[in-house]
Amino acid sequence: MNHRHGFATKPEIQAAAARLKKSATFLGFPLEPLTKRNWQGELNRLHINFPEFFKSEFDRERFQAAHETNLLIHWLEYELANLLDGKDQYIFNLDFNHFPPAYNLKAEIPEEELGHFDPALVFGNLHLHYVHIGRHFLEMVDANDMDCIPHHFIAQRDFNATCGLVFSEPCDPVHLEARMRDYYDRRGAKAFFGFEYEDPKLAKGFFKIGELVDLPEYSTFAERQALRDQLKTSRISAWQHL
């Protein structure tokens, strides 16, 4: 479920919300029923607890519950934004490193490449996934997260074999830029993030590594929607390196 974001039915979303409440309750965290008014704030407050589990003594049952809680939070952020806020966000997260010896195989993004981060999630783009335990800038902007504590913000520096393939509708770049700048200032600017807004090290967005080869075939909304409708029930069975 967690790898397909934005394609769920209302019953699937309700079932995931029930699972989230169950795991959060097991961990000792209250969660109010998620409504159009409060869902994002509730998820933001719940997410604060996830990074802290990695600082305590390992307990397998609680660790698994915390891991599921984190996955459900991020999955629901896409699904509820589409269902309740009328957004058109659709992404496949492709986790090629779900094999224990590969979990911590990471490499650093060269500093001279950091200027290639882009906040616009463009249909057909393949980008690096965020691999740190914490929250990155664009994630915080999208969530209007005013609860995240300073040391939970981590600008992306590393990457591994996980990436995301975007099927979202385009956003207004002028509006997005204004929203990012406004959030940066409201959150405390450099005093909170540690970087000037224009500093590439803030890593605003995602790092593109590829795109669909047949991208011109999806130039209209109807063509993009037809593909999304197909993806709702499709399964990835194999990958071929070209």
Side-chain angles (χ1 to χ4, degrees), residues 4 7 218 225-235:
R4 193 193 312 255
F7 296 90
Y218 306 104
Q225 188 59 44
L227 178 60
R228 287 191 288 260
D229 289 341
Q230 181 181 353
L231 292 171
K232 285 181 181 180
T233 56
S234 66
R235 298 180 63 88

Side-chain angles (χ1 to χ4, degrees), residues 1 34 104 136:
M1 177 200 71
L34 303 179
N104 294 314
H136 61 83

Side-chain angles (χ1 to χ4, degrees), residues 112-131:
E112 62 271 18
E113 298 291 330
L114 294 176
H116 294 296
F117 275 85
D118 190 335
L121 291 174
V122 178
F123 184 97
N125 277 4
L126 183 70
H127 60 67
L128 294 177
H129 204 325
Y130 182 69
V131 298

Side-chain angles (χ1 to χ4, degrees), residues 66-120:
H67 182 59
E68 179 178 45
T69 297
N70 184 60
L71 294 178
L72 286 167
I73 287 171
H74 293 297
W75 188 81
L76 284 167
E77 282 183 318
Y78 275 87
E79 303 300 337
L80 290 174
N82 285 3
L83 178 66
L84 300 179
D85 295 346
K87 292 189 177 181
D88 291 298
Q89 302 181 132
Y90 308 90
I91 290 181
F92 271 24
N93 282 335
L94 314 174
D95 293 346
F96 299 112
N97 69 325
H98 272 200
F99 173 63
Y103 283 168
N104 294 314
L105 291 179
K106 300 177 184 178
E108 187 174 350
I109 300 171
E111 186 170 336
E112 62 271 18
E113 298 291 330
L114 294 176
H116 294 296
F117 275 85
D118 190 335

